[in-house]
Amino acid sequence: MMQDLIAAAEAAADAAGAVIRPLFRSSLLVEAKGDASPVTEADRAAERTIRALLAERFPDHGVIGEEYGEERAGAEFVWVVDPIDGTRAFVTGRPVFGTLIGLMRHGRPVLGLIDQPATGERWIGAAGEGLRFRSPMGGTPHTRRCAALAEAELSCTSHEMFTPAEAPRFARLKQSCRRVTWGGDCYAYGLLALGLVDIVVESDLKPWDWVALAPVVEAAGGAMTDWQGQPLRLDGPGQVIAVGDPALLPEAVALLG
């Protein structure tokens, strides 16, 4: 069954990419949602396309999406979709956004896909299987060993995502790492799964921001938890630690605690 699920996720990503690519670096009508993040016709059309394909193949499955909300969220299998993660990057022409398609079974992520439709890169992680990676630019799908945070490459989308209470905790971690690179959204987690980034720490992530990422990170040999080192939850605060080398996790948790 897992192969059927993976095939459906890939087909949905292919269909979404066909919607997104013609609009990338074109003139788009950008609106403001309630949280002031940009929304384009590409977001909405891509999510509609993904939902339609998944509903056709698995009519009993649920879905949670950024643009169109929940359907059958209490089902055994629930797809979690972000049609364009990193919309700000998308509307400014930077190819570090991605389409995220994740699948939860009984509330636990079991399948994740990151697709970068502009560059042709795709990461697929599934429970019980190794990481699948496709790219015309190369890259090795495996995390790297990192002995300590002092040697680690840290990535974070933006310092603005942290609350006043979280900011000094992140600052402690940042000062303990080799350096920090800002920006990247889901793409940073893909780079972690290629052994190019060692740790990603973020906050205020919604389920559609992280459900697809966890299986990819874990399939590559890494780990992904909340700031207390506990499994991520749909009702959690969205605080995320992703590490390429799980040995980094206790040190990171201690600094963020």
Side-chain angles (χ1 to χ4, degrees), residues 131 140-145 191-196 219-221:
L131 179 66
T140 302
H142 199 279
T143 57
R144 64 184 174 194
R145 301 305 93 189
L191 296 177
L192 182 144
L194 297 180
L196 300 171

PDB file of all heavy atoms in Angstrom, residues 131 140-145 191-196 219-221:
ATOM      1  N   LEU A 131      15.382   7.417   2.063  1.00  0.00           N
ATOM      2  CA  LEU A 131      15.021   8.655   1.372  1.00  0.00           C
ATOM      3  C   LEU A 131      15.208   8.508  -0.132  1.00  0.00           C
ATOM      4  O   LEU A 131      16.234   7.997  -0.605  1.00  0.00           O
ATOM      5  CB  LEU A 131      15.887   9.806   1.889  1.00  0.00           C
ATOM      6  CG  LEU A 131      15.661  11.169   1.249  1.00  0.00           C
ATOM      7  CD1 LEU A 131      14.270  11.692   1.573  1.00  0.00           C
ATOM      8  CD2 LEU A 131      16.719  12.163   1.705  1.00  0.00           C
ATOM      9  N   THR A 140      23.628  14.085  -2.424  1.00  0.00           N
ATOM     10  CA  THR A 140      23.563  12.763  -1.828  1.00  0.00           C
ATOM     11  C   THR A 140      22.487  12.732  -0.752  1.00  0.00           C
ATOM     12  O   THR A 140      22.568  13.489   0.217  1.00  0.00           O
ATOM     13  CB  THR A 140      24.911  12.375  -1.203  1.00  0.00           C
ATOM     14  OG1 THR A 140      25.923  12.427  -2.218  1.00  0.00           O
ATOM     15  CG2 THR A 140      24.859  10.969  -0.616  1.00  0.00           C
ATOM     16  N   PRO A 141      21.483  11.872  -0.887  1.00  0.00           N
ATOM     17  CA  PRO A 141      20.377  11.859   0.072  1.00  0.00           C
ATOM     18  C   PRO A 141      20.731  11.158   1.380  1.00  0.00           C
ATOM     19  O   PRO A 141      20.356  10.010   1.616  1.00  0.00           O
ATOM     20  CB  PRO A 141      19.274  11.114  -0.684  1.00  0.00           C
ATOM     21  CG  PRO A 141      20.012  10.195  -1.607  1.00  0.00           C
ATOM     22  CD  PRO A 141      21.260  10.926  -1.993  1.00  0.00           C
ATOM     23  N   HIS A 142      21.443  11.855   2.225  1.00  0.00           N
ATOM     24  CA  HIS A 142      21.775  11.326   3.548  1.00  0.00           C
ATOM     25  C   HIS A 142      22.306  12.466   4.395  1.00  0.00           C
ATOM     26  O   HIS A 142      23.036  13.329   3.910  1.00  0.00           O
ATOM     27  CB  HIS A 142      22.819  10.208   3.459  1.00  0.00           C
ATOM     28  CG  HIS A 142      22.863   9.355   4.691  1.00  0.00           C
ATOM     29  ND1 HIS A 142      23.540   9.733   5.829  1.00  0.00           N
ATOM     30  CD2 HIS A 142      22.288   8.161   4.963  1.00  0.00           C
ATOM     31  CE1 HIS A 142      23.392   8.790   6.750  1.00  0.00           C
ATOM     32  NE2 HIS A 142      22.639   7.832   6.258  1.00  0.00           N
ATOM     33  N   THR A 143      21.953  12.467   5.667  1.00  0.00           N
ATOM     34  CA  THR A 143      22.478  13.497   6.557  1.00  0.00           C
ATOM     35  C   THR A 143      23.930  13.192   6.898  1.00  0.00           C
ATOM     36  O   THR A 143      24.415  12.090   6.680  1.00  0.00           O
ATOM     37  CB  THR A 143      21.654  13.554   7.855  1.00  0.00           C
ATOM     38  OG1 THR A 143      21.669  12.271   8.477  1.00  0.00           O
ATOM     39  CG2 THR A 143      20.214  13.952   7.568  1.00  0.00           C
ATOM     40  N   ARG A 144      24.620  14.200   7.455  1.00  0.00           N
ATOM     41  CA  ARG A 144      26.020  13.999   7.822  1.00  0.00           C
ATOM     42  C   ARG A 144      26.171  13.984   9.335  1.00  0.00           C
ATOM     43  O   ARG A 144      25.340  14.504  10.075  1.00  0.00           O
ATOM     44  CB  ARG A 144      26.889  15.104   7.234  1.00  0.00           C
ATOM     45  CG  ARG A 144      26.604  16.504   7.764  1.00  0.00           C
ATOM     46  CD  ARG A 144      27.449  17.540   7.052  1.00  0.00           C
ATOM     47  NE  ARG A 144      27.105  18.910   7.440  1.00  0.00           N
ATOM     48  CZ  ARG A 144      27.500  19.981   6.766  1.00  0.00           C
ATOM     49  NH1 ARG A 144      28.249  19.837   5.692  1.00  0.00           N
ATOM     50  NH2 ARG A 144      27.157  21.189   7.160  1.00  0.00           N
ATOM     51  N   ARG A 145      27.255  13.382   9.783  1.00  0.00           N
ATOM     52  CA  ARG A 145      27.550  13.356  11.217  1.00  0.00           C
ATOM     53  C   ARG A 145      28.140  14.707  11.623  1.00  0.00           C
ATOM     54  O   ARG A 145      28.901  15.313  10.885  1.00  0.00           O
ATOM     55  CB  ARG A 145      28.532  12.243  11.559  1.00  0.00           C
ATOM     56  CG  ARG A 145      28.058  10.822  11.185  1.00  0.00           C
ATOM     57  CD  ARG A 145      26.696  10.485  11.787  1.00  0.00           C
ATOM     58  NE  ARG A 145      25.594  10.802  10.864  1.00  0.00           N
ATOM     59  CZ  ARG A 145      24.319  10.761  11.199  1.00  0.00           C
ATOM     60  NH1 ARG A 145      23.952  10.446  12.432  1.00  0.00           N
ATOM     61  NH2 ARG A 145      23.391  11.047  10.311  1.00  0.00           N
ATOM     62  N   LEU A 191      17.850  20.532   2.298  1.00  0.00           N
ATOM     63  CA  LEU A 191      19.310  20.624   2.350  1.00  0.00           C
ATOM     64  C   LEU A 191      19.869  19.862   3.539  1.00  0.00           C
ATOM     65  O   LEU A 191      20.940  19.260   3.459  1.00  0.00           O
ATOM     66  CB  LEU A 191      19.736  22.093   2.405  1.00  0.00           C
ATOM     67  CG  LEU A 191      19.389  22.925   1.172  1.00  0.00           C
ATOM     68  CD1 LEU A 191      19.805  24.373   1.382  1.00  0.00           C
ATOM     69  CD2 LEU A 191      20.032  22.350  -0.084  1.00  0.00           C
ATOM     70  N   LEU A 192      19.149  19.873   4.668  1.00  0.00           N
ATOM     71  CA  LEU A 192      19.564  19.066   5.810  1.00  0.00           C
ATOM     72  C   LEU A 192      19.572  17.591   5.431  1.00  0.00           C
ATOM     73  O   LEU A 192      20.482  16.846   5.806  1.00  0.00           O
ATOM     74  CB  LEU A 192      18.634  19.331   6.991  1.00  0.00           C
ATOM     75  CG  LEU A 192      18.956  18.607   8.304  1.00  0.00           C
ATOM     76  CD1 LEU A 192      18.643  19.500   9.509  1.00  0.00           C
ATOM     77  CD2 LEU A 192      18.207  17.289   8.427  1.00  0.00           C
ATOM     78  N   ALA A 193      18.572  17.162   4.670  1.00  0.00           N
ATOM     79  CA  ALA A 193      18.486  15.767   4.246  1.00  0.00           C
ATOM     80  C   ALA A 193      19.554  15.404   3.217  1.00  0.00           C
ATOM     81  O   ALA A 193      19.732  14.221   2.904  1.00  0.00           O
ATOM     82  CB  ALA A 193      17.096  15.471   3.678  1.00  0.00           C
ATOM     83  N   LEU A 194      20.286  16.396   2.710  1.00  0.00           N
ATOM     84  CA  LEU A 194      21.410  16.159   1.798  1.00  0.00           C
ATOM     85  C   LEU A 194      22.754  16.333   2.503  1.00  0.00           C
ATOM     86  O   LEU A 194      23.800  16.292   1.861  1.00  0.00           O
ATOM     87  CB  LEU A 194      21.341  17.115   0.603  1.00  0.00           C
ATOM     88  CG  LEU A 194      20.122  16.986  -0.308  1.00  0.00           C
ATOM     89  CD1 LEU A 194      20.213  18.004  -1.444  1.00  0.00           C
ATOM     90  CD2 LEU A 194      19.993  15.574  -0.863  1.00  0.00           C
ATOM     91  N   GLY A 195      22.731  16.565   3.813  1.00  0.00           N
ATOM     92  CA  GLY A 195      23.982  16.716   4.538  1.00  0.00           C
ATOM     93  C   GLY A 195      24.658  18.055   4.346  1.00  0.00           C
ATOM     94  O   GLY A 195      25.852  18.187   4.596  1.00  0.00           O
ATOM     95  N   LEU A 196      23.910  19.074   3.933  1.00  0.00           N
ATOM     96  CA  LEU A 196      24.490  20.402   3.702  1.00  0.00           C
ATOM     97  C   LEU A 196      24.169  21.374   4.829  1.00  0.00           C
ATOM     98  O   LEU A 196      24.818  22.408   4.964  1.00  0.00           O
ATOM     99  CB  LEU A 196      23.980  20.958   2.371  1.00  0.00           C
ATOM    100  CG  LEU A 196      24.333  20.103   1.160  1.00  0.00           C
ATOM    101  CD1 LEU A 196      23.609  20.591  -0.086  1.00  0.00           C
ATOM    102  CD2 LEU A 196      25.834  20.085   0.929  1.00  0.00           C
ATOM    103  N   ALA A 219      13.908   9.791   7.215  1.00  0.00           N
ATOM    104  CA  ALA A 219      14.368   8.830   6.220  1.00  0.00           C
ATOM    105  C   ALA A 219      15.817   9.065   5.830  1.00  0.00           C
ATOM    106  O   ALA A 219      16.533   8.139   5.434  1.00  0.00           O
ATOM    107  CB  ALA A 219      13.472   8.890   4.981  1.00  0.00           C
ATOM    108  N   ALA A 220      16.272  10.321   5.963  1.00  0.00           N
ATOM    109  CA  ALA A 220      17.664  10.657   5.642  1.00  0.00           C
ATOM    110  C   ALA A 220      18.617  10.313   6.784  1.00  0.00           C
ATOM    111  O   ALA A 220      19.833  10.414   6.621  1.00  0.00           O
ATOM    112  CB  ALA A 220      17.780  12.139   5.313  1.00  0.00           C
ATOM    113  N   GLY A 221      18.076   9.943   7.953  1.00  0.00           N
ATOM    114  CA  GLY A 221      18.911   9.607   9.102  1.00  0.00           C
ATOM    115  C   GLY A 221      18.887  10.626  10.212  1.00  0.00           C
ATOM    116  O   GLY A 221      19.609  10.486  11.203  1.00  0.00           O
TER     117      GLY A 221
END
